[in-house]
Amino acid sequence: QVQLVESGGGLVQAGGSLRLSCAASGSIFSISVMGWYRQAPGRQRELVAAITSGGSTNYADSAKDRFTISRDNAKNTVYLQMNSLKPEDTAVYYCRGTISNRLYWGKGTLVTVSS
C-alpha cells in the first residue's frame, strides 16, 4: 500500500506564506513526477506545480514567481513553498504522485487566505 500524506495547510493572512509537505510511504520502488493540485469551492481541480525525479519543474501561471516546488528524494517528500498568498489561493491542496508506475492522490490539506 502506498500513501501520500499532506501537511502544512492552515489559515494565513494575505501576503503571508505557507509551506506544504507531502510524504509518500509504503511499498515504493520508484517515484517519477510529483505534483500539487488545488480545488477551490465550485471549481475544478487544477495543477499548481509539478516536479520530475530529475528536478524539472512546471508551474501554473497563477503560481509562477510566488510558489516553489521542491522534493527530497531520500525522504520521498515533495514540498510547496507558497509566498505572497492571495485570497484566491484559498483551496484544498492535493498531492499527486506517480509511484511505481501508478497514480496516487493524497487526501488534501486546506489552505485559507484571509483578506
Side-chain angles (χ1 to χ4, degrees):
Q1 283 289 69
V2 172
Q3 283 189 320
L4 293 176
V5 179
E6 302 99 334
S7 61
L11 174 64
V12 64
Q13 288 188 332
S17 299
L18 282 174
R19 188 191 193 209
L20 305 183
S21 299
C22 170
S25 63
S27 299
I28 298 170
F29 297 100
S30 64
I31 303 179
S32 54
V33 179
M34 295 193 77
W36 287 97
Y37 289 71
R38 68 185 182 187
Q39 187 166 19
R43 302 190 66 176
Q44 289 188 329
R45 193 173 298 189
E46 61 180 5
L47 172 70
V48 177
I51 185 168
T52 67
S53 57
S56 297
T57 58
N58 181 41
Y59 293 93
D61 287 343
S62 59
K64 287 178 182 177
D65 300 325
R66 297 188 301 127
F67 295 0
T68 302
I69 189 170
S70 61
R71 63 191 284 171
D72 185 332
N73 292 329
K75 295 182 179 180
N76 293 331
T77 300
V78 64
Y79 306 96
L80 186 68
Q81 177 67 42
M82 305 187 294
N83 299 327
S84 302
L85 283 162
K86 305 174 182 179
E88 50 263 45
D89 294 318
T90 295
V92 178
Y93 284 70
Y94 297 90
C95 176
R96 190 181 94 162
T98 302
I99 300 171
S100 305
N101 296 320
R102 294 185 64 180
L103 190 60
Y104 294 90
W105 288 91
K107 294 183 178 180
T109 184
L110 177 62
V111 172
T112 304
V113 184
S114 64
S115 57

